[in-house]
Amino acid sequence: MSGERLSFLLVSAADRRHLLPLTQVREILPMLALQQREERRGRFQGAMNLRGEIVPVLCFAENETPVTPAQFIVVLLAAGRSIGVVVDEVHDLITLPPDGLIRRELDHGDAIQLARIGNELLSVTDVERHFHV
């Protein structure tokens, strides 16, 4: 399958643009009323009832400002469960050839994947790692 193209959803959140692997995108929803705890901690914004499934809703940045009706929730399937991620905008579907990703090694043995989209170098969000799923 070396010729198979890679697809990503291009979104904006936390003042940055992000690439989400399309294989993990379940659906895109307008902002819904979230069940909230008294205190929001870290990335957790609340939970939503999605057709009988309780789905945690997270944001890209820790202690991000409260959600607004203008935002969206991208429902992702990560580590076998659904999570909702708050985004400001959903821009486009991006398809890249297999060699369109650049792997960069980081400190402590971690690595990220980057993709050049026009003049922009964007990181591919590793959903499990970023949201600690």
Side-chain angles (χ1 to χ4, degrees):
M1 303 232 180
S2 60
E4 190 174 313
R5 296 182 66 80
L6 307 169
S7 297
F8 301 93
L9 186 65
L10 176 60
V11 300
S12 290
D15 296 324
R16 293 188 50 209
R17 288 162 44 108
H18 307 270
L19 292 172
L20 298 172
L22 195 60
T23 55
Q24 292 181 289
V25 175
R26 189 168 144 196
E27 61 187 297
I28 303 166
L29 303 169
M31 183 51 67
L32 304 170
L34 300 177
Q35 300 168 0
Q36 301 206 356
R37 299 185 329 198
E38 288 184 27
E39 276 181 50
R40 290 182 308 123
R41 289 194 181 155
R43 290 187 165 89
F44 183 75
Q45 293 290 307
M48 67 177 173
N49 184 334
L50 184 62
R51 294 181 289 281
E53 179 185 5
I54 303 302
V55 176
V57 178
L58 310 169
C59 59
F60 267 92
E62 299 234 5
N63 300 318
E64 194 171 312
T65 58
V67 298
T68 69
Q71 292 174 304
F72 298 89
I73 299 172
V74 178
V75 180
L76 301 168
L77 190 58
R81 61 182 261 203
S82 296
I83 63 167
V85 176
V86 175
V87 300
D88 299 320
E89 290 184 63
V90 176
H91 297 284
D92 206 351
L93 178 64
I94 304 293
T95 304
L96 299 171
D99 62 354
L101 294 179
I102 305 161
R103 181 180 167 89
R104 291 286 183 249
E105 300 296 325
L106 302 174
D107 294 337
H108 312 295
D110 283 339
I112 60 170
Q113 288 187 314
L114 303 168
R116 183 167 300 286
I117 309 296
N119 293 331
E120 213 173 356
L121 194 60
L122 300 173
S123 64
V124 174
T125 301
D126 180 334
V127 175
E128 283 89 359
R129 192 182 74 178
H130 187 84
F131 296 106
H132 308 285
V133 177

